[in-house]
Amino acid sequence: MNFKIEEMIELLERTPETLKQLLSGLSDGWVLSNEGEGTWNALEVVGHLIEAEKVNWIPRVKMILTKGESETFPDFDRFAHLQQIQGKTMDDLLNEFKQVRNESLTDLKTLITIHTDYELKGTHPVYGSVKLSELLSTWAVHDLTHITQITRVMAKRYRGDVGSWINYLSILK
Amino acid sequence: MNFKIEEMIELLERTPETLKQLLSGLSDGWVLSNEGEGTWNALEVVGHLIEAEKVNWIPRVKMILTKGESETFPDFDRFAHLQQIQGKTMDDLLNEFKQVRNESLTDLKTLITIHTDYELKGTHPVYGSVKLSELLSTWAVHDLTHITQITRVMAKRYRGDVGSWINYLSILK
Protein backbone atom coordinates (compact mmCIF):
# COMPACT_ATOMS: atom_id res chain seq x y z
CA MET A 1 0.00 0.00 0.00
CA ASN A 2 1.45 3.36 -1.08
CA PHE A 3 -1.40 5.61 0.11
CA LYS A 4 -0.34 8.35 2.50
CA ILE A 5 -2.75 11.18 3.25
CA GLU A 6 -0.07 13.92 3.10
CA GLU A 7 1.19 12.75 -0.31
CA MET A 8 -2.33 12.36 -1.66
CA ILE A 9 -3.11 15.95 -0.61
CA GLU A 10 0.10 17.14 -2.35
CA LEU A 11 -1.33 15.87 -5.62
CA LEU A 12 -4.81 17.31 -5.11
CA GLU A 13 -3.30 20.71 -4.36
CA ARG A 14 -1.38 20.77 -7.65
CA THR A 15 -4.06 19.81 -10.17
CA PRO A 16 -5.89 23.15 -10.62
CA GLU A 17 -2.72 25.11 -11.29
CA THR A 18 -1.29 22.36 -13.53
CA LEU A 19 -4.43 22.49 -15.68
CA LYS A 20 -4.39 26.28 -15.70
CA GLN A 21 -0.81 26.37 -16.99
CA LEU A 22 -1.63 23.78 -19.63
CA LEU A 23 -4.98 25.12 -20.84
CA SER A 24 -5.49 28.80 -20.08
CA GLY A 25 -5.30 30.93 -23.22
CA LEU A 26 -4.94 27.93 -25.52
CA SER A 27 -6.65 28.13 -28.94
CA ASP A 28 -10.09 26.59 -29.40
CA GLY A 29 -8.55 24.08 -31.79
CA TRP A 30 -6.83 22.45 -28.82
CA VAL A 31 -9.47 22.78 -26.12
CA LEU A 32 -12.46 21.81 -28.27
CA SER A 33 -10.78 18.79 -29.85
CA ASN A 34 -12.07 15.35 -28.80
CA GLU A 35 -11.54 11.69 -29.65
CA GLY A 36 -14.76 11.30 -31.65
CA GLU A 37 -18.49 11.21 -30.97
CA GLY A 38 -19.41 10.69 -27.34
CA THR A 39 -15.92 11.61 -26.06
CA TRP A 40 -14.92 14.70 -24.12
CA ASN A 41 -12.80 17.67 -25.05
CA ALA A 42 -10.56 19.43 -22.51
CA LEU A 43 -13.34 21.88 -21.59
CA GLU A 44 -15.69 19.03 -20.79
CA VAL A 45 -13.07 17.18 -18.75
CA VAL A 46 -12.53 20.25 -16.54
CA GLY A 47 -16.33 20.48 -16.18
CA HIS A 48 -16.40 16.85 -15.04
CA LEU A 49 -13.67 17.53 -12.45
CA ILE A 50 -15.77 20.40 -11.05
CA GLU A 51 -18.88 18.23 -10.87
CA ALA A 52 -17.00 15.41 -9.12
CA GLU A 53 -15.66 17.92 -6.64
CA LYS A 54 -19.12 19.24 -5.81
CA VAL A 55 -21.08 16.01 -5.50
CA ASN A 56 -18.64 13.16 -5.19
CA TRP A 57 -15.45 13.26 -3.15
CA ILE A 58 -16.07 15.21 0.05
CA PRO A 59 -19.73 14.13 0.31
CA ARG A 60 -18.57 10.50 0.20
CA VAL A 61 -15.78 11.10 2.73
CA LYS A 62 -18.38 12.61 5.06
CA MET A 63 -20.73 9.65 4.54
CA ILE A 64 -18.00 7.17 5.49
CA LEU A 65 -17.05 9.18 8.59
CA THR A 66 -20.61 9.77 9.79
CA LYS A 67 -22.72 6.87 8.48
CA GLY A 68 -20.20 4.09 7.78
CA GLU A 69 -21.72 1.35 5.65
CA SER A 70 -25.30 2.01 6.70
CA GLU A 71 -26.19 4.21 3.71
CA THR A 72 -25.20 3.76 0.05
CA PHE A 73 -23.41 6.64 -1.70
CA PRO A 74 -25.75 8.44 -4.12
CA ASP A 75 -25.04 7.63 -7.77
CA PHE A 76 -22.66 10.04 -9.49
CA ASP A 77 -24.06 11.39 -12.75
CA ARG A 78 -21.03 11.39 -15.02
CA PHE A 79 -22.82 13.47 -17.64
CA ALA A 80 -24.36 16.22 -15.47
CA HIS A 81 -21.43 18.55 -16.20
CA LEU A 82 -22.31 18.69 -19.89
CA GLN A 83 -25.25 20.91 -18.88
CA GLN A 84 -23.34 22.83 -16.20
CA ILE A 85 -20.60 24.04 -18.53
CA GLN A 86 -22.93 25.61 -21.11
CA GLY A 87 -21.85 29.18 -21.87
CA LYS A 88 -18.69 29.01 -19.76
CA THR A 89 -15.18 29.68 -21.04
CA MET A 90 -12.13 27.57 -20.22
CA ASP A 91 -10.92 30.29 -17.84
CA ASP A 92 -14.32 30.33 -16.09
CA LEU A 93 -14.04 26.58 -15.56
CA LEU A 94 -10.39 26.63 -14.49
CA ASN A 95 -11.15 29.30 -11.89
CA GLU A 96 -14.23 27.44 -10.70
CA PHE A 97 -12.26 24.20 -10.38
CA LYS A 98 -9.57 25.96 -8.36
CA GLN A 99 -12.20 27.37 -6.03
CA VAL A 100 -14.12 24.13 -5.44
CA ARG A 101 -10.86 22.18 -5.03
CA ASN A 102 -9.68 24.68 -2.40
CA GLU A 103 -12.97 24.25 -0.58
CA SER A 104 -12.61 20.46 -0.72
CA LEU A 105 -9.09 20.61 0.69
CA THR A 106 -10.20 22.88 3.52
CA ASP A 107 -13.02 20.44 4.30
CA LEU A 108 -10.72 17.44 4.04
CA LYS A 109 -8.17 18.90 6.43
CA THR A 110 -10.98 19.54 8.93
CA LEU A 111 -12.50 16.08 8.55
CA ILE A 112 -9.22 14.14 8.76
CA THR A 113 -7.23 14.05 12.01
CA ILE A 114 -4.22 12.07 13.19
CA HIS A 115 -6.72 9.65 14.72
CA THR A 116 -8.60 8.95 11.47
CA ASP A 117 -8.93 5.25 10.66
CA TYR A 118 -8.48 4.85 6.90
CA GLU A 119 -9.88 1.34 7.10
CA LEU A 120 -13.33 2.79 7.81
CA LYS A 121 -15.85 1.67 5.23
CA GLY A 122 -18.73 3.00 3.18
CA THR A 123 -21.09 1.45 0.66
CA HIS A 124 -20.65 2.14 -3.05
CA PRO A 125 -23.75 1.71 -5.25
CA VAL A 126 -21.93 -0.69 -7.59
CA TYR A 127 -18.86 -1.98 -5.73
CA GLY A 128 -20.40 -2.43 -2.28
CA SER A 129 -18.01 -2.16 0.65
CA VAL A 130 -15.16 0.32 0.05
CA LYS A 131 -12.54 1.78 2.40
CA LEU A 132 -11.83 5.44 3.13
CA SER A 133 -8.22 4.91 1.98
CA GLU A 134 -9.53 3.54 -1.34
CA LEU A 135 -11.84 6.52 -1.86
CA LEU A 136 -9.00 8.98 -1.17
CA SER A 137 -6.54 7.08 -3.41
CA THR A 138 -9.14 7.04 -6.18
CA TRP A 139 -9.60 10.80 -5.87
CA ALA A 140 -5.87 11.33 -6.58
CA VAL A 141 -5.79 8.79 -9.42
CA HIS A 142 -8.93 10.39 -10.88
CA ASP A 143 -7.06 13.72 -11.16
CA LEU A 144 -4.11 12.04 -12.87
CA THR A 145 -6.43 10.08 -15.18
CA HIS A 146 -8.05 13.23 -16.43
CA ILE A 147 -4.79 15.14 -16.92
CA THR A 148 -3.69 12.12 -18.95
CA GLN A 149 -6.94 12.17 -20.90
CA ILE A 150 -6.58 15.87 -21.77
CA THR A 151 -2.99 15.53 -23.02
CA ARG A 152 -3.87 12.35 -24.96
CA VAL A 153 -6.88 14.00 -26.64
CA MET A 154 -4.79 17.02 -27.58
CA ALA A 155 -1.96 14.83 -28.93
CA LYS A 156 -4.37 12.92 -31.16
CA ARG A 157 -5.31 16.16 -32.89
CA TYR A 158 -1.93 15.93 -34.66
CA ARG A 159 -2.28 12.23 -35.51
CA GLY A 160 -2.35 13.02 -39.23
CA ASP A 161 0.46 15.57 -39.01
CA VAL A 162 3.45 13.68 -37.64
CA GLY A 163 4.17 11.55 -40.71
CA SER A 164 6.47 8.58 -40.07
CA TRP A 165 7.00 9.57 -36.43
CA ILE A 166 3.61 8.01 -35.72
CA ASN A 167 5.57 4.75 -35.43
CA TYR A 168 7.22 5.78 -32.20
CA LEU A 169 4.49 7.93 -30.64
CA SER A 170 2.46 5.22 -28.94
CA ILE A 171 0.01 7.83 -27.57
CA LEU A 172 -1.39 8.22 -31.11
CA LYS A 173 -2.30 4.56 -31.47
CA MET B 1 -3.91 18.49 -41.45
CA ASN B 2 -4.30 20.37 -38.16
CA PHE B 3 -0.73 21.69 -37.82
CA LYS B 4 -0.48 25.45 -37.43
CA ILE B 5 2.78 27.00 -36.32
CA GLU B 6 1.16 29.50 -33.91
CA GLU B 7 -0.87 26.79 -32.17
CA MET B 8 2.09 24.45 -32.00
CA ILE B 9 4.14 27.20 -30.33
CA GLU B 10 1.30 27.79 -27.83
CA LEU B 11 1.77 24.23 -26.62
CA LEU B 12 5.56 24.35 -26.46
CA GLU B 13 5.37 27.54 -24.41
CA ARG B 14 3.13 25.91 -21.78
CA THR B 15 4.96 22.66 -21.06
CA PRO B 16 7.71 23.86 -18.68
CA GLU B 17 5.29 25.68 -16.38
CA THR B 18 2.75 22.83 -16.54
CA LEU B 19 5.41 20.38 -15.38
CA LYS B 20 6.61 22.79 -12.71
CA GLN B 21 3.12 23.12 -11.24
CA LEU B 22 2.67 19.36 -11.31
CA LEU B 23 6.07 18.27 -10.01
CA SER B 24 7.86 20.97 -8.03
CA GLY B 25 7.94 20.18 -4.32
CA LEU B 26 6.30 16.78 -4.75
CA SER B 27 7.47 13.96 -2.45
CA ASP B 28 10.11 11.53 -3.69
CA GLY B 29 7.52 8.78 -3.55
CA TRP B 30 5.80 10.38 -6.53
CA VAL B 31 8.75 11.62 -8.57
CA LEU B 32 10.93 8.51 -8.16
CA SER B 33 8.15 6.03 -8.93
CA ASN B 34 8.39 4.17 -12.26
CA GLU B 35 6.56 1.40 -14.14
CA GLY B 36 9.16 -1.28 -13.47
CA GLU B 37 12.72 -2.07 -14.53
CA GLY B 38 13.91 -0.17 -17.58
CA THR B 39 11.13 2.44 -17.33
CA TRP B 40 11.48 6.08 -16.39
CA ASN B 41 10.34 8.02 -13.36
CA ALA B 42 9.19 11.67 -13.59
CA LEU B 43 12.71 12.95 -12.90
CA GLU B 44 14.09 10.91 -15.80
CA VAL B 45 11.33 12.04 -18.15
CA VAL B 46 12.15 15.70 -17.46
CA GLY B 47 15.82 14.85 -18.09
CA HIS B 48 14.84 13.33 -21.44
CA LEU B 49 12.88 16.47 -22.40
CA ILE B 50 15.97 18.58 -21.67
CA GLU B 51 18.20 16.31 -23.75
CA ALA B 52 15.75 16.36 -26.70
CA GLU B 53 15.68 20.13 -26.48
CA LYS B 54 19.45 20.40 -26.62
CA VAL B 55 20.28 17.93 -29.37
CA ASN B 56 17.11 17.12 -31.25
CA TRP B 57 14.44 19.67 -32.15
CA ILE B 58 16.11 22.94 -33.12
CA PRO B 59 19.21 21.25 -34.58
CA ARG B 60 16.91 19.23 -36.88
CA VAL B 61 14.87 22.31 -37.83
CA LYS B 62 18.12 24.03 -38.78
CA MET B 63 19.28 21.03 -40.82
CA ILE B 64 16.05 21.02 -42.82
CA LEU B 65 16.25 24.76 -43.46
CA THR B 66 19.94 24.81 -44.39
CA LYS B 67 20.77 21.35 -45.79
CA GLY B 68 17.43 19.93 -46.90
CA GLU B 69 17.63 16.20 -47.52
CA SER B 70 21.35 16.19 -48.32
CA GLU B 71 22.48 15.19 -44.80
CA THR B 72 20.89 12.68 -42.42
CA PHE B 73 19.92 13.88 -38.93
CA PRO B 74 22.36 12.56 -36.30
CA ASP B 75 20.93 9.72 -34.20
CA PHE B 76 19.25 10.83 -30.98
CA ASP B 77 20.55 8.94 -27.95
CA ARG B 78 17.38 8.35 -25.93
CA PHE B 79 19.38 7.26 -22.91
CA ALA B 80 22.02 10.02 -22.72
CA HIS B 81 19.94 11.95 -20.16
CA LEU B 82 20.30 9.17 -17.60
CA GLN B 83 23.90 10.33 -17.16
CA GLN B 84 23.12 14.05 -17.43
CA ILE B 85 20.63 14.08 -14.55
CA GLN B 86 22.97 12.50 -11.98
CA GLY B 87 23.01 14.59 -8.79
CA LYS B 88 20.31 17.00 -9.96
CA THR B 89 17.06 17.68 -8.10
CA MET B 90 13.65 17.91 -9.70
CA ASP B 91 13.73 21.69 -9.32
CA ASP B 92 17.17 21.83 -10.99
CA LEU B 93 15.76 19.92 -13.94
CA LEU B 94 12.51 21.90 -14.16
CA ASN B 95 14.47 25.15 -14.21
CA GLU B 96 16.90 23.81 -16.78
CA PHE B 97 14.04 22.61 -18.99
CA LYS B 98 12.37 26.03 -18.80
CA GLN B 99 15.62 27.68 -19.82
CA VAL B 100 16.43 25.41 -22.76
CA ARG B 101 12.82 25.54 -23.96
CA ASN B 102 12.89 29.34 -23.89
CA GLU B 103 16.10 29.26 -25.93
CA SER B 104 14.48 26.88 -28.44
CA LEU B 105 11.45 29.11 -28.81
CA THR B 106 13.62 32.16 -29.36
CA ASP B 107 15.56 30.23 -32.02
CA LEU B 108 12.39 28.90 -33.63
CA LYS B 109 10.82 32.35 -33.90
CA THR B 110 14.01 33.56 -35.60
CA LEU B 111 14.24 30.61 -37.98
CA ILE B 112 10.58 30.60 -39.02
CA THR B 113 9.16 33.46 -41.07
CA ILE B 114 5.85 34.02 -42.86
CA HIS B 115 7.60 32.74 -45.98
CA THR B 116 8.67 29.41 -44.46
CA ASP B 117 7.67 26.39 -46.53
CA TYR B 118 6.59 23.64 -44.11
CA GLU B 119 6.78 21.10 -46.93
CA LEU B 120 10.58 21.39 -46.88
CA LYS B 121 12.21 18.04 -46.20
CA GLY B 122 15.04 16.51 -44.24
CA THR B 123 16.39 12.99 -43.89
CA HIS B 124 15.68 10.98 -40.74
CA PRO B 125 18.14 8.15 -39.95
CA VAL B 126 15.31 5.58 -39.73
CA TYR B 127 12.28 7.06 -41.49
CA GLY B 128 14.04 8.69 -44.43
CA SER B 129 12.33 11.70 -45.98
CA VAL B 130 10.38 13.78 -43.43
CA LYS B 131 8.76 17.22 -43.68
CA LEU B 132 9.38 20.29 -41.53
CA SER B 133 5.68 20.33 -40.59
CA GLU B 134 5.99 16.71 -39.41
CA LEU B 135 9.04 17.48 -37.27
CA LEU B 136 7.29 20.45 -35.64
CA SER B 137 4.07 18.50 -35.06
CA THR B 138 6.08 15.67 -33.51
CA TRP B 139 7.79 18.12 -31.14
CA ALA B 140 4.38 19.18 -29.77
CA VAL B 141 3.07 15.62 -29.54
CA HIS B 142 6.33 14.59 -27.83
CA ASP B 143 5.63 17.12 -25.05
CA LEU B 144 2.08 15.81 -24.62
CA THR B 145 3.29 12.20 -24.69
CA HIS B 146 5.67 12.79 -21.84
CA ILE B 147 3.18 14.73 -19.69
CA THR B 148 0.87 11.75 -20.23
CA GLN B 149 3.65 9.36 -19.29
CA ILE B 150 4.39 11.21 -16.04
CA THR B 151 0.77 11.29 -14.90
CA ARG B 152 0.27 7.64 -15.88
CA VAL B 153 3.39 6.53 -13.97
CA MET B 154 2.29 8.47 -10.91
CA ALA B 155 -1.25 7.07 -11.10
CA LYS B 156 0.07 3.50 -11.21
CA ARG B 157 1.75 4.05 -7.86
CA TYR B 158 -1.73 3.76 -6.31
CA ARG B 159 -2.73 0.70 -8.32
CA GLY B 160 -2.93 -1.42 -5.19
CA ASP B 161 -4.68 1.28 -3.18
CA VAL B 162 -7.91 2.02 -5.03
CA GLY B 163 -9.73 -1.24 -4.26
CA SER B 164 -12.74 -1.93 -6.47
CA TRP B 165 -12.41 1.42 -8.25
CA ILE B 166 -9.65 -0.17 -10.32
CA ASN B 167 -12.50 -1.40 -12.54
CA TYR B 168 -13.26 2.05 -13.85
CA LEU B 169 -9.78 3.60 -13.82
CA SER B 170 -8.53 2.41 -17.19
CA ILE B 171 -5.21 4.22 -16.66
CA LEU B 172 -4.26 1.54 -14.12
CA LYS B 173 -4.66 -1.35 -16.54
Side-chain angles (χ1 to χ4, degrees), chain B:
Chain B
M1 180 160 138
N2 288 316
F3 168 76
K4 284 186 191 148
I5 186 69
E6 302 80 7
E7 291 183 358
M8 174 270 182
I9 289 175
E10 281 180 11
L11 268 193
L12 294 193
E13 285 173 340
R14 279 162 173 76
T15 307
E17 205 55 41
T18 300
L19 290 175
K20 190 166 188 176
Q21 292 300 328
L22 178 66
L23 298 171
S24 180
L26 214 50
S27 295
D28 280 355
W30 291 119
V31 300
L32 300 181
S33 183
N34 66 24
E35 294 172 289
E37 201 177 322
T39 67
W40 296 344
N41 61 36
L43 200 86
E44 290 162 340
V45 173
V46 179
H48 166 74
L49 288 169
I50 293 168
E51 185 69 11
E53 211 67 19
K54 287 182 182 169
V55 307
N56 203 349
W57 306 115
I58 288 292
R60 289 180 172 191
V61 171
K62 283 184 181 163
M63 280 189 73
I64 291 179
L65 293 175
T66 60
K67 318 249 184 190
E69 295 182 86
S70 65
E71 278 184 35
T72 303
F73 302 151
D75 276 323
F76 175 51
D77 179 354
R78 294 200 296 135
F79 300 96
H81 68 283
L82 299 177
Q83 298 302 319
Q84 311 284 352
I85 66 173
Q86 294 300 321
K88 294 183 182 170
T89 66
M90 179 57 90
D91 276 347
D92 291 340
L93 295 171
L94 291 167
N95 290 334
E96 187 176 350
F97 178 50
K98 183 157 189 165
Q99 190 193 317
V100 292
R101 172 55 57 90
N102 284 345
E103 289 166 12
S104 293
L105 287 167
T106 302
D107 285 350
L108 184 64
K109 290 171 188 172
T110 308
L111 292 164
I112 299 289
T113 72
I114 52 166
H115 305 294
T116 298
D117 176 7
Y118 296 100
E119 298 289 306
L120 282 173
K121 288 176 180 167
T123 303
H124 185 281
V126 177
Y127 303 136
S129 182
V130 290
K131 294 179 190 170
L132 178 57
S133 65
E134 293 168 351
L135 174 65
L136 295 171
S137 299
T138 299
W139 190 357
V141 174
H142 185 262
D143 272 23
L144 294 167
T145 295
H146 286 296
I147 299 173
T148 303
Q149 178 183 16
I150 288 171
T151 48
R152 184 188 70 229
V153 170
M154 285 167 53
K156 284 189 179 171
R157 184 168 178 242
Y158 272 0
R159 199 177 190 290
D161 296 274
V162 298
S164 302
W165 273 287
I166 199 167
N167 295 296
Y168 104 106
L169 293 163
S170 59
I171 197 173
L172 300 181
K173 285 169 191 162

Side-chain angles (χ1 to χ4, degrees), chain A residues 4-168:
Chain A
K4 284 187 192 149
I5 187 69
E6 301 81 7
E7 291 182 358
M8 173 269 183
I9 289 174
E10 280 179 11
L11 268 194
L12 295 193
E13 285 173 340
R14 279 162 173 75
T15 307
E17 205 55 41
T18 300
L19 290 175
K20 191 166 187 175
Q21 292 301 328
L22 179 65
L23 298 171
S24 180
L26 214 51
S27 294
D28 280 355
W30 291 119
V31 301
L32 300 180
S33 182
N34 66 23
E35 293 172 290
E37 202 178 321
T39 67
W40 295 345
N41 61 37
L43 201 86
E44 290 162 340
V45 173
V46 179
H48 166 73
L49 288 169
I50 293 168
E51 185 69 13
E53 210 67 19
K54 286 182 180 169
V55 308
N56 203 349
W57 306 114
I58 287 293
R60 289 181 172 191
V61 170
K62 283 184 180 163
M63 279 188 75
I64 292 179
L65 293 174
T66 61
K67 318 252 184 188
E69 294 181 88
S70 66
E71 277 184 36
T72 303
F73 302 151
D75 277 322
F76 175 52
D77 180 353
R78 295 199 296 134
F79 300 97
H81 68 283
L82 299 177
Q83 297 302 318
Q84 311 283 353
I85 65 173
Q86 294 299 322
K88 294 182 182 170
T89 65
M90 179 57 92
D91 276 348
D92 291 340
L93 295 171
L94 291 167
N95 290 334
E96 188 176 350
F97 178 51
K98 184 156 190 167
Q99 190 192 319
V100 293
R101 172 55 56 90
N102 284 345
E103 289 167 12
S104 293
L105 287 168
T106 302
D107 285 351
L108 184 64
K109 290 172 187 172
T110 308
L111 292 164
I112 300 289
T113 73
I114 52 165
H115 304 294
T116 298
D117 176 7
Y118 295 100
E119 298 288 306
L120 281 174
K121 288 176 180 166
T123 303
H124 186 281
V126 176
Y127 303 135
S129 183
V130 290
K131 294 179 190 170
L132 178 57
S133 65
E134 293 168 352
L135 174 64
L136 295 171
S137 300
T138 300
W139 190 355
V141 174
H142 186 260
D143 273 23
L144 294 167
T145 295
H146 286 296
I147 298 172
T148 303
Q149 179 182 15
I150 288 170
T151 47
R152 184 188 70 229
V153 170
M154 285 166 53
K156 284 188 178 171
R157 183 167 178 244
Y158 272 1
R159 197 176 190 291
D161 296 275
V162 299
S164 302
W165 274 287
I166 199 166
N167 295 298
Y168 104 107

